[in-house]
Amino acid sequence: MKNHALTLGALLTFIFFSSCKKEVDNSVDSMQRMREFVISISQTAKSQDSGFIIIPQNGIELVTEDGEPNSPLATTYLDAIDGHGQEDLYYGYDSDNVATPAESIDYLTGFLNRSKSAGNTILAIDYCWTPAFVDQSYQNNFNQAYISFAADDRELRTIPTYPSPIFNENSEAILSLSQAKNFLYLINNDTFDTKQDFIDAVTATNYDLLVMDLFFWDSSSFTSQEVAQLKNKANGGKRLVICYMSIGEAEDYRYYWNSDWASNKPVWLDAENPDWPGNYKVKYWESDWQKIIYGNSDSYLTKIQNAGFDGVYLDIIDAFEYYE
């Protein structure tokens, strides 16, 4: 039988690392702090416009109290949001234009359906372009009562030419998220020469909802007059226009970026994302980062609301995984 007695040195080492781990765990409950961040954004936005739409993307585990599929729902979080965006649900999880493994689909839809049952609209994004895969993507999501978009470009800078007409095309005036039957995810506009080119391309379509960026070529923001134009469908109907905003990473091409941060990082700025150069992890619970996002006249959220968007699409919600 092994002797499990610890030497004094080993015992002290064990106590030291155990206490350090406890301190880290107590200081950052990464899932709850992301919930609280989203809830605060929602409360701030809806205090100005009660109908303002809040849609977090990915990080679907936040819908339950401990992130487990069958655990009690995180009701305060669910009440603060209006929908969920989910990437790679049926295509793109491991590789673009490749079917997502069945076990991953089951895992994600388990959470998504609990959110849907709580009254939220599910927006699913698949990355595929083979016509048969595109058709299957739309049909699978329709069967789940999700609205979906089959993106033919991971950079989200193109309007797909297939299918034509678009899936579930209609001429209705879409006034709420629950009325939308399809959507266009077009957050990179660097393939368009001018703002007007972008506006013309979008208004030539009949998508019920548009997710786009506040800025054109990362500099000039869209005005309220331009956003109003984008709300018109080609067939005379009306669409919702939702603005993309990353809250789990800082982007070095945004208006808020300070060049001094390269040598003198603020306490909330963390490592660069190796998959997306120029994007940096953030300690999103830190107040100085949150002040950039919401709660003052120069915040990102204020700029979005002043431009007349119908809601906000919050990305990098799953940043909590980095800090778990």
Side-chain angles (χ1 to χ4, degrees):
M1 183 175 181
K2 278 190 176 181
N3 183 355
H4 292 284
L6 293 173
T7 66
L8 178 59
L11 179 60
L12 290 173
T13 300
F14 173 78
I15 292 171
F16 173 76
F17 282 109
S18 295
S19 64
C20 285
K21 183 178 188 300
K22 183 177 181 182
E23 181 182 356
V24 171
D25 287 346
N26 286 340
S27 66
V28 181
D29 179 349
S30 59
M31 295 185 74
Q32 180 57 22
R33 291 197 174 184
M34 180 56 82
R35 290 191 197 96
E36 291 169 356
F37 191 15
V38 173
I39 290 167
S40 295
I41 292 169
S42 176
Q43 290 173 340
T44 301
K46 290 178 184 288
S47 70
Q48 301 298 315
D49 176 2
S50 61
F52 197 74
I53 298 166
I54 307 293
I55 307 171
Q57 175 173 271
N58 301 331
I60 190 61
E61 292 87 354
L62 295 183
V63 304
T64 64
E65 290 181 354
D66 61 3
E68 295 299 323
N70 298 315
S71 294
L73 292 173
T75 54
T76 305
Y77 176 70
L78 286 166
D79 289 345
I81 63 177
D82 303 283
H84 268 111
Q86 179 60 57
E87 293 183 291
D88 310 315
L89 183 57
Y90 288 103
Y91 290 90
Y93 192 87
D94 291 324
S95 185
D96 292 353
N97 208 45
V98 175
T100 295
E103 60 271 21
S104 298
I105 295 171
D106 291 343
Y107 175 80
L108 292 170
T109 55
F111 284 104
L112 291 167
N113 286 337
R114 297 195 72 186
S115 181
K116 184 183 68 173
S117 296
N120 292 317
T121 299
I122 307 302
L123 289 74
I125 304 97
D126 286 327
Y127 293 95
C128 57
W129 51 84
T130 300
F133 294 168
V134 171
D135 291 342
Q136 193 64 58
S137 166
Y138 280 113
Q139 190 60 54
N140 287 348
N141 283 293
F142 178 78
N143 292 344
Q144 291 279 9
Y146 305 159
I147 64 172
S148 64
F149 176 62
D152 59 8
D153 174 17
R154 177 71 67 165
E155 298 288 334
L156 298 167
R157 58 189 175 188
T158 61
I159 301 175
T161 57
Y162 183 89
S164 182
I166 62 173
F167 189 80
N168 264 349
E169 184 176 276
N170 64 87
S171 58
E172 297 173 13
I174 306 303
L175 304 177
S176 68
L177 183 58
S178 61
Q179 294 175 325
K181 297 179 175 63
N182 52 64
F183 72 101
L184 172 63
Y185 197 6
L186 188 65
I187 59 172
N188 286 327
N189 47 50
D190 56 7
T191 59
F192 301 92
D193 291 333
T194 66
K195 277 186 181 179
Q196 195 58 52
D197 288 341
F198 178 86
I199 293 168
D200 291 345
V202 170
T203 55
T205 73
N206 291 316
Y207 289 97
D208 288 347
L209 183 150
L210 167 67
V211 179
M212 60 174 284
D213 202 271
L214 172 61
F215 300 95
F216 184 76
W217 282 39
D218 307 323
S219 56
S220 172
S221 61
F222 283 86
T223 66
S224 57
Q225 293 81 9
E226 290 164 339
V227 172
Q229 291 180 60
L230 287 161
K231 294 183 180 183
N232 296 311
K233 297 197 282 189
N235 55 21
K238 291 289 185 179
R239 68 165 59 89
L240 298 171
V241 181
I242 307 293
C243 190
Y244 173 94
M245 178 171 66
S246 174
I247 67 170
E249 288 184 346
E251 300 155 312
D252 67 4
Y253 46 86
R254 295 299 185 184
Y255 73 94
Y256 57 72
W257 188 263
N258 188 329
S259 58
D260 292 341
W261 291 347
S263 57
N264 186 25
K265 290 202 307 183
V267 295
W268 51 263
L269 187 62
D270 215 323
E272 186 173 17
N273 185 336
D275 297 323
W276 294 95
N279 289 21
Y280 294 80
K281 298 296 182 183
V282 295
K283 297 173 184 175
Y284 48 82
W285 57 90
E286 292 283 351
S287 61
D288 284 349
W289 168 249
Q290 294 194 0
K291 287 175 184 175
I292 291 173
I293 297 299
Y294 79 96
N296 60 83
S297 60
D298 194 45
S299 71
Y300 209 147
L301 180 63
T302 297
K303 294 179 187 296
I304 289 170
Q305 291 197 280
N306 287 346
F309 285 91
D310 296 299
V312 68
Y313 192 84
L314 304 175
D315 199 14
I316 320 296
I317 297 299
D318 52 3
F320 64 84
E321 296 175 355
Y322 182 76
Y323 293 100
E324 278 185 316

